[in-house]
Coordinates of all heavy atoms in Angstrom, one line a residue:
F1377 N 122.0 43.7 173.0 CA 123.4 44.0 172.6 C 123.6 43.5 171.2 O 123.3 42.3 170.9 CB 124.4 43.4 173.6 CG 125.8 43.6 173.1 CD1 126.5 44.7 173.3 CD2 126.4 42.5 172.5 CE1 127.8 44.9 172.9 CE2 127.8 42.6 172.1 CZ 128.4 43.8 172.3
S1378 N 124.2 44.3 170.4 CA 124.6 43.8 169.0 C 125.9 44.5 168.6 O 126.2 45.6 169.0 CB 123.5 44.2 168.0 OG 123.3 45.6 167.9
K1379 N 126.6 43.8 167.8 CA 127.8 44.3 167.2 C 128.0 43.7 165.8 O 127.5 42.6 165.5 CB 129.0 44.1 168.1 CG 129.4 42.7 168.4 CD 130.6 42.6 169.3 CE 131.0 41.2 169.6 NZ 132.2 41.1 170.5
Y1380 N 128.8 44.3 165.0 CA 129.0 43.9 163.6 C 130.5 43.9 163.2 O 131.3 44.7 163.8 CB 128.2 44.9 162.7 CG 126.8 45.0 163.0 CD1 126.3 45.9 163.9 CD2 125.9 44.1 162.4 CE1 124.9 46.0 164.2 CE2 124.5 44.1 162.7 CZ 124.1 45.1 163.6 OH 122.7 45.1 163.8
A1381 N 130.8 43.1 162.3 CA 132.1 43.2 161.7 C 132.3 44.5 161.0 O 131.3 45.1 160.4 CB 132.3 42.1 160.7
D1382 N 133.5 45.1 161.0 CA 133.7 46.4 160.3 C 133.3 46.4 158.9 O 132.8 47.4 158.4 CB 135.2 46.7 160.4 CG 135.6 47.0 161.8 OD1 134.8 47.3 162.7 OD2 136.9 47.0 162.1
S1383 N 133.4 45.2 158.2 CA 133.1 45.2 156.8 C 131.7 45.3 156.5 O 131.3 45.6 155.3 CB 133.7 43.9 156.2 OG 133.1 42.8 156.8
V1384 N 130.8 45.1 157.5 CA 129.3 45.1 157.2 C 128.7 46.2 158.0 O 127.4 46.4 157.9 CB 128.7 43.8 157.5 CG1 129.4 42.7 156.7 CG2 128.7 43.4 159.0
E1385 N 129.4 46.9 158.9 CA 128.8 47.9 159.7 C 128.1 49.0 158.9 O 128.7 49.5 157.9 CB 129.9 48.6 160.6 CG 129.4 49.7 161.5 CD 128.5 49.2 162.6 OE1 128.9 48.2 163.3 OE2 127.5 49.8 162.9
G1386 N 126.9 49.3 159.2 CA 126.1 50.3 158.5 C 125.3 49.7 157.4 O 124.5 50.4 156.8
R1387 N 125.6 48.5 157.0 CA 124.9 47.8 155.9 C 124.0 46.7 156.4 O 123.0 46.4 155.8 CB 125.8 47.3 154.8 CG 126.7 48.4 154.2 CD 127.5 47.9 153.0 NE 128.4 46.9 153.4 CZ 128.4 45.6 153.0 NH1 127.5 45.2 152.2 NH2 129.4 44.8 153.4
F1388 N 124.4 46.0 157.4 CA 123.7 44.8 158.0 C 123.1 45.2 159.3 O 123.6 46.0 160.1 CB 124.7 43.6 158.2 CG 125.2 43.0 156.9 CD1 125.0 43.6 155.7 CD2 125.9 41.8 157.0 CE1 125.5 43.0 154.5 CE2 126.4 41.2 155.8 CZ 126.2 41.8 154.6
T1389 N 121.9 44.6 159.6 CA 121.3 44.8 160.8 C 120.7 43.5 161.3 O 120.1 42.7 160.6 CB 120.1 45.8 160.7 OG1 120.5 47.0 160.1 CG2 119.4 46.0 162.0
I1390 N 121.0 43.2 162.6 CA 120.6 41.9 163.2 C 119.3 42.3 164.0 O 119.3 43.3 164.7 CB 121.7 41.2 164.0 CG1 121.2 39.9 164.5 CG2 122.1 42.1 165.2 CD1 122.3 39.1 165.1
S1391 N 118.4 41.4 164.0 CA 117.1 41.6 164.8 C 116.5 40.3 165.1 O 117.0 39.2 164.6 CB 116.1 42.5 164.0 OG 115.7 41.9 162.8
R1392 N 115.5 40.3 165.9 CA 114.8 39.1 166.3 C 113.3 39.3 166.3 O 112.8 40.4 166.5 CB 115.3 38.5 167.6 CG 115.0 39.4 168.8 CD 115.6 38.9 170.1 NE 115.2 39.7 171.2 CZ 115.7 39.5 172.5 NH1 116.6 38.5 172.7 NH2 115.4 40.3 173.5
D1393 N 112.5 38.2 166.3 CA 111.1 38.3 166.3 C 110.6 38.5 167.8 O 111.4 38.3 168.7 CB 110.4 37.2 165.6 CG 110.7 35.8 166.3 OD1 111.4 35.8 167.3 OD2 110.1 34.8 165.7
I1394 N 109.3 38.7 167.9 CA 108.8 38.9 169.3 C 108.9 37.7 170.1 O 109.2 37.8 171.3 CB 107.3 39.4 169.1 CG1 107.2 40.7 168.4 CG2 106.6 39.4 170.5 CD1 105.8 41.2 168.2
A1395 N 108.7 36.5 169.5 CA 108.8 35.3 170.2 C 110.2 34.9 170.6 O 110.4 33.9 171.3 CB 108.1 34.2 169.4
K1396 N 111.2 35.6 170.0 CA 112.6 35.3 170.2 C 113.0 33.9 169.8 O 113.9 33.3 170.3 CB 113.0 35.5 171.7 CG 112.7 36.9 172.2 CD 113.0 37.0 173.7 CE 112.7 38.4 174.2 NZ 113.0 38.6 175.6
T1397 N 112.3 33.4 168.8 CA 112.7 32.1 168.2 C 113.4 32.2 166.9 O 113.9 31.2 166.4 CB 111.4 31.3 168.0 OG1 110.5 32.0 167.2 CG2 110.7 31.0 169.4
T1398 N 113.4 33.4 166.3 CA 114.1 33.6 165.1 C 114.9 34.9 165.1 O 114.4 35.9 165.6 CB 113.0 33.7 163.9 OG1 112.2 32.5 163.9 CG2 113.7 33.8 162.6
V1399 N 116.1 34.8 164.6 CA 117.0 36.0 164.4 C 117.2 36.2 163.0 O 117.4 35.3 162.2 CB 118.3 35.8 165.2 CG1 119.3 36.9 164.8 CG2 118.1 35.7 166.7
Y1400 N 117.1 37.5 162.6 CA 117.3 37.9 161.2 C 118.5 38.7 161.0 O 119.1 39.3 161.9 CB 116.1 38.8 160.8 CG 114.7 38.1 161.0 CD1 114.0 38.4 162.2 CD2 114.2 37.3 160.1 CE1 112.8 37.8 162.4 CE2 112.9 36.7 160.3 CZ 112.2 37.0 161.5 OH 111.0 36.4 161.7
L1401 N 119.0 38.6 159.8 CA 120.1 39.5 159.3 C 119.7 40.2 158.1 O 119.6 39.6 157.0 CB 121.4 38.6 159.1 CG 122.6 39.4 158.7 CD1 123.0 40.3 159.9 CD2 123.7 38.5 158.3
Q1402 N 119.3 41.4 158.2 CA 119.0 42.3 157.1 C 120.2 42.8 156.4 O 121.0 43.5 157.1 CB 118.1 43.4 157.5 CG 117.7 44.4 156.4 CD 116.8 43.8 155.4 OE1 115.9 43.0 155.7 NE2 117.1 44.0 154.1
M1403 N 120.4 42.5 155.2 CA 121.7 42.8 154.5 C 121.3 43.8 153.4 O 120.6 43.4 152.4 CB 122.4 41.6 153.9 CG 122.7 40.5 155.0 SD 123.6 39.1 154.3 CE 122.4 38.5 153.2
D1404 N 121.8 45.0 153.5 CA 121.5 46.0 152.5 C 122.8 46.4 151.8 O 123.9 46.3 152.3 CB 120.8 47.3 153.1 CG 119.5 47.0 153.7 OD1 118.7 46.2 153.1 OD2 119.2 47.5 154.9
N1405 N 122.6 47.0 150.6 CA 123.8 47.5 149.9 C 124.9 46.4 149.8 O 126.0 46.6 150.0 CB 124.4 48.8 150.5 CG 125.4 49.5 149.6 OD1 125.3 49.3 148.4 ND2 126.3 50.2 150.2
L1406 N 124.4 45.2 149.3 CA 125.3 44.1 149.3 C 126.4 44.3 148.2 O 126.2 44.9 147.2 CB 124.5 42.8 148.9 CG 123.8 42.3 150.1 CD1 122.7 41.3 149.7 CD2 124.7 41.5 151.1
K1407 N 127.6 43.8 148.6 CA 128.8 43.9 147.7 C 129.2 42.5 147.3 O 128.9 41.5 148.0 CB 129.9 44.6 148.5 CG 129.5 45.9 149.1 CD 129.2 46.9 148.1 CE 129.0 48.3 148.7 NZ 128.6 49.3 147.7
P1408 N 129.9 42.4 146.2 CA 130.4 41.1 145.8 C 131.2 40.4 146.9 O 131.2 39.1 147.0 CB 131.3 41.4 144.6 CG 130.6 42.6 144.0 CD 130.2 43.4 145.2
E1409 N 131.9 41.1 147.7 CA 132.7 40.5 148.7 C 131.9 40.0 149.9 O 132.4 39.3 150.8 CB 133.8 41.5 149.3 CG 133.1 42.9 149.8 CD 133.2 43.9 148.7 OE1 133.0 43.6 147.5 OE2 133.5 45.1 149.0
D1410 N 130.6 40.2 149.9 CA 129.7 39.6 150.8 C 129.3 38.2 150.5 O 128.7 37.5 151.3 CB 128.4 40.4 151.0 CG 128.7 41.8 151.5 OD1 129.5 41.9 152.5 OD2 128.0 42.8 151.1
T1411 N 129.7 37.8 149.3 CA 129.4 36.4 148.8 C 130.1 35.4 149.8 O 131.3 35.4 150.0 CB 129.9 36.2 147.4 OG1 129.2 37.1 146.5 CG2 129.7 34.8 147.0
A1412 N 129.3 34.5 150.3 CA 129.7 33.5 151.3 C 128.6 32.6 151.7 O 127.4 32.9 151.3 CB 130.3 34.2 152.5
V1413 N 128.9 31.6 152.4 CA 127.9 30.8 153.1 C 127.7 31.4 154.5 O 128.7 31.6 155.2 CB 128.3 29.3 153.2 CG1 127.2 28.6 154.0 CG2 128.5 28.7 151.8
Y1414 N 126.5 31.8 154.8 CA 126.2 32.4 156.1 C 125.6 31.4 157.0 O 124.7 30.6 156.7 CB 125.2 33.5 155.9 CG 125.8 34.8 155.3 CD1 126.2 34.8 153.9 CD2 126.0 35.9 156.0 CE1 126.8 35.9 153.4 CE2 126.6 37.0 155.5 CZ 127.0 37.0 154.2 OH 127.6 38.1 153.6
Y1415 N 126.2 31.4 158.2 CA 125.9 30.4 159.3 C 125.3 31.1 160.5 O 125.8 32.1 160.9 CB 127.1 29.6 159.7 CG 127.7 28.7 158.6 CD1 128.7 29.2 157.8 CD2 127.3 27.4 158.4 CE1 129.3 28.5 156.8 CE2 127.8 26.7 157.4 CZ 128.8 27.2 156.6 OH 129.4 26.4 155.6
C1416 N 124.3 30.5 161.1 CA 123.7 31.0 162.3 C 124.4 30.1 163.4 O 124.4 28.9 163.4 CB 122.2 30.8 162.3 SG 121.5 31.4 163.9
H1417 N 124.8 30.8 164.5 CA 125.4 30.2 165.6 C 124.6 30.5 166.9 O 124.2 31.7 167.1 CB 126.9 30.6 165.8 CG 127.4 30.3 167.2 ND1 127.6 31.3 168.1 CD2 127.8 29.2 167.7 CE1 128.1 30.8 169.2 NE2 128.3 29.5 169.0
V1418 N 124.3 29.5 167.7 CA 123.6 29.7 168.9 C 124.4 29.2 170.1 O 124.9 28.1 170.1 CB 122.3 28.9 168.8 CG1 121.6 28.9 170.2 CG2 121.4 29.5 167.8
R1419 N 124.6 30.1 171.0 CA 125.3 29.7 172.3 C 124.2 29.4 173.3 O 123.4 30.3 173.6 CB 126.2 30.8 172.7 CG 127.0 30.5 174.0 CD 127.8 31.7 174.4 NE 128.7 32.1 173.4 CZ 129.4 33.2 173.3 NH1 129.1 34.1 174.3 NH2 130.2 33.5 172.3
H1420 N 124.3 28.2 173.9 CA 123.3 27.8 174.9 C 124.0 27.8 176.3 O 125.1 27.3 176.4 CB 122.8 26.4 174.6 CG 121.5 26.0 175.2 ND1 121.4 25.1 176.3 CD2 120.2 26.4 174.9 CE1 120.2 25.0 176.6 NE2 119.4 25.7 175.8
S1421 N 123.3 28.4 177.2 CA 123.9 28.6 178.5 C 123.5 27.6 179.6 O 124.3 27.4 180.5 CB 123.6 30.0 179.1 OG 122.2 30.2 179.3
R1422 N 122.4 26.9 179.4 CA 122.0 25.9 180.4 C 121.4 24.7 179.6 O 120.2 24.7 179.3 CB 121.0 26.5 181.4 CG 119.9 27.3 180.8 CD 119.0 27.8 181.9 NE 117.8 28.5 181.4 CZ 117.6 29.8 181.2 NH1 118.6 30.6 181.5 NH2 116.5 30.2 180.7

């Protein structure tokens, strides 16, 4: 399951590696308004 902010829909793609230890954010057609500090958040269930 994946979803995106409206502002990045169609430009950004989230994915993960086979080992599921790394998540990627592919950012294409970047705009000046994309300038920010980007943070990865992990929700742990157990």
Side-chain angles (χ1 to χ4, degrees):
F1377 173 80
S1378 62
K1379 62 180 180 180
Y1380 302 90
D1382 290 343
S1383 59
V1384 307
E1385 180 70 45
R1387 299 188 297 117
F1388 290 10
T1389 304
I1390 189 170
S1391 61
R1392 67 183 182 184
D1393 65 0
I1394 296 174
K1396 301 179 182 179
T1397 58
T1398 304
V1399 171
Y1400 305 96
L1401 185 66
Q1402 178 66 43
M1403 305 184 296
D1404 297 318
N1405 193 23
L1406 283 161
K1407 308 294 184 182
E1409 54 264 39
D1410 296 319
T1411 297
V1413 177
Y1414 285 71
Y1415 298 91
C1416 182
H1417 164 253
V1418 173
R1419 182 183 302 161
H1420 200 254
S1421 62
R1422 48 179 189 262

